[in-house]
Amino acid sequence: MSGERTVRAGAAVVDVTPPAGATMSGYAARLGPATGVHDPITVRAVCVEDTALVAVDVVGLHEDLCATVARRCPLPDEGVRIHATHTHSGPASVPGRLGGGVDAVWLAKLEDACVEAIAAAARRRVPVQVLAGYGAEVDVARNRRRTDGPVDHSLPVVRLVADDGASVAVVMSYACHPVVLGADNTLLSADYPGVVRRLVEARHPGCVALFLTGCAGDANTGHATSASVTQQASMSRTFAAAEQAGETLAAAVLDARLVAHAGPVRADRTTVDLDIADDPGVDGVDEWRRLAADPGTDPGLTALMRYWLDWSERIAGRGERRWPAPVGVLDWAGVRIVTLPGEPFAQIGLDIRAAVGQRAGPAAVTMVAGYTDGCPGYLPTSTEYAFGGYEVEEAHRYYGLRGPFDPGSAERLVEAATALARS
């Protein structure tokens, strides 16, 4: 979008923390509203030339809201990307998905805040040098589905440095679910990404740290998905544990060896129509009803079964059979930021980075972020369907889809993203 060697960049933060009493989203097992605030819920925007990257501390965003923000902001909408960090300790944010319960008034404020953050970042653009590289791979993420499953430990980092040496922004990405905090937590929080940002900003006063959650659909810090279908507390899922994970990642970000990149700033995007299958387990309705009615069932599981029953009445056998998936690439002076919707599995990020890096050379830096410009559900690789499990067989009910995405959907996104990045 700009062929000049001088790159201009700016950044801004807008606090969108709702008050206590807000409905939280991320766990069907969490029955009550937010009882307070542990750390702020924010909108963070970084503008590089006429592109913008926005990260919001929520579990997901609807594609319609993302498109509206892009149209309303002062930049060309083809260069605007709206990302959800996917914290499971944030306010409900996706109408009709992930438990619903969205406050329409707050959601309108969130939309305005995204526009405001982009506009403020654009106003603050100054000439910068683009420094980028990879932090040391840290052992924070685990494959939550199987011990021998793939994990993406890559930690790409971009630092935008003004002429006076001050950092305007630091952008980083890691592929791990922000679910250190469990369903028992009722304090609003950005989870471990908030810790990473706080520590990076402390090292670079005045900068805006922006964290992108990578392809984390099958990755967390080491617990099974079933561990979230309960309100029972866990010693491994506390604010202290989130602090420890954040400290580990922040140290690697701050020690990353970054090199200067130069070149134009460009943006491109495409849409891939993904087919939606029918639910493979809809014949389990009687068992869902039995569990929901049994007083001995764990309250978290009871809540989940009620979600499944509601889905069976409203959506099963109905709904769209196709979803248009937005795929985008931002090229910041040779640093490629690939954005995908939904919850892609870790292998997707590994495949895209490998394909793009082979062509771009050893100094190339490629970020691959999920949860961007819409969050309709999980995107497993084709080989994962044989293993079954929540992400493949059940999660579409919480997302309000008639069924999971067809096998091969993830590979189609890899193909589209790789073609865009290489071009």
Side-chain angles (χ1 to χ4, degrees):
M1 300 179 71
S2 170
E4 299 177 1
R5 294 182 64 83
T6 299
V7 175
R8 298 174 305 133
V13 180
V14 178
D15 192 316
V16 291
T17 310
T23 301
M24 299 176 74
S25 182
Y27 299 110
R30 185 195 283 127
L31 303 181
T35 57
V37 177
H38 180 271
D39 51 280
I41 302 300
T42 61
V43 172
R44 293 161 180 264
V46 175
C47 288
V48 177
E49 292 296 343
D50 287 339
T51 71
L53 190 56
V54 181
V56 185
D57 293 325
V58 291
V59 70
L61 294 166
H62 197 282
E63 56 275 13
D64 291 348
L65 181 145
C66 298
T68 299
V69 169
R71 287 194 301 268
R72 289 183 56 197
C73 79
L75 301 179
D77 61 0
E78 68 268 17
V80 178
R81 308 285 182 266
I82 314 296
H83 172 85
T85 62
H86 201 55
T87 174
H88 284 42
S89 293
S93 55
V94 194
R97 299 176 191 165
L98 298 166
V102 180
D103 181 340
V105 174
W106 178 83
L107 192 64
K109 292 180 179 178
L110 175 63
E111 179 186 310
D112 290 343
C114 290
V115 176
E116 177 188 344
I118 295 170
R123 289 194 303 270
R124 297 170 186 171
R125 284 174 294 188
V126 296
V128 299
Q129 184 179 34
V130 179
L131 304 179
Y134 289 94
E137 295 191 355
V138 294
D139 193 24
V140 171
R142 302 283 190 279
N143 189 299
R144 72 183 192 181
R145 287 168 51 80
R146 48 196 180 94
T147 55
D148 61 343
V151 181
D152 184 359
H153 289 301
S154 300
L155 187 58
V157 180
V158 180
R159 186 154 63 96
L160 305 174
V161 183
D163 291 343
D164 62 1
S167 294
V168 171
V170 178
V171 182
M172 68 223 88
S173 178
Y174 190 67
C176 183
H177 252 79
V179 290
V180 177
L181 305 172
D184 61 304
N185 171 53
T186 57
L187 297 180
L188 292 164
S189 173
D191 208 286
Y192 80 84
V195 178
V196 180
R197 296 185 316 220
R198 187 188 77 235
L199 296 174
V200 170
E201 290 176 347
R203 176 74 67 87
H204 298 285
C207 89
V208 171
L210 190 149
F211 185 97
L212 302 177
T213 301
C215 297
D218 53 350
N220 64 21
T221 53
H223 53 271
T225 307
S226 58
S228 293
V229 190
T230 179
Q231 296 175 14
Q232 294 181 1
S234 167
M235 292 302 294
S236 65
R237 303 185 69 182
T238 62
F239 284 105
E243 192 78 17
Q244 182 176 9
E247 288 175 354
T248 301
L249 284 163
V253 168
L254 294 169
D255 289 342
R257 300 183 63 179
L258 309 181
V259 299
H261 285 63
V265 174
R266 297 174 291 204
D268 202 357
R269 66 183 179 190
T270 190
T271 300
V272 181
D273 287 332
L274 302 181
D275 292 325
I276 300 172
D278 285 321
D279 186 285
V282 70
D283 56 356
V285 171
D286 289 343
E287 177 65 6
W288 304 344
R289 189 172 289 114
R290 184 191 69 77
L291 287 170
D294 186 345
T297 302
D298 181 272
L301 182 58
T302 298
L304 185 66
M305 293 301 97
R306 288 172 179 167
Y307 276 114
W308 282 191
L309 290 169
D310 178 68
W311 171 87
S312 71
E313 295 170 359
R314 295 188 304 106
I315 298 171
R318 297 180 289 276
E320 299 295 331
R321 287 191 172 275
R322 182 167 290 180
W323 190 78
V327 178
V329 174
L330 300 179
D331 188 334
W332 288 353
V335 177
R336 292 172 177 83
I337 301 171
V338 178
T339 57
L340 306 172
E343 302 203 48
F345 276 28
Q347 189 62 51
I348 298 174
L350 293 168
D351 289 347
I352 292 175
R353 187 175 294 107
V356 174
Q358 287 173 1
R359 183 183 178 103
V365 174
T366 302
M367 289 190 179
V368 186
Y371 312 95
T372 306
D373 292 333
C375 197
Y378 285 88
L379 290 159
T381 50
S382 292
T383 55
E384 288 293 328
Y385 285 76
F387 295 97
Y390 169 78
E391 300 89 347
V392 174
E393 298 174 332
E394 300 173 337
H396 58 272
R397 300 170 195 153
Y398 197 36
Y399 270 102
L401 293 182
R402 66 180 297 146
F405 288 105
D406 273 353
S409 295
E411 286 75 12
R412 295 182 62 201
L413 295 185
V414 171
E415 182 179 339
T418 301
L420 281 181
R422 285 180 169 178
S423 67

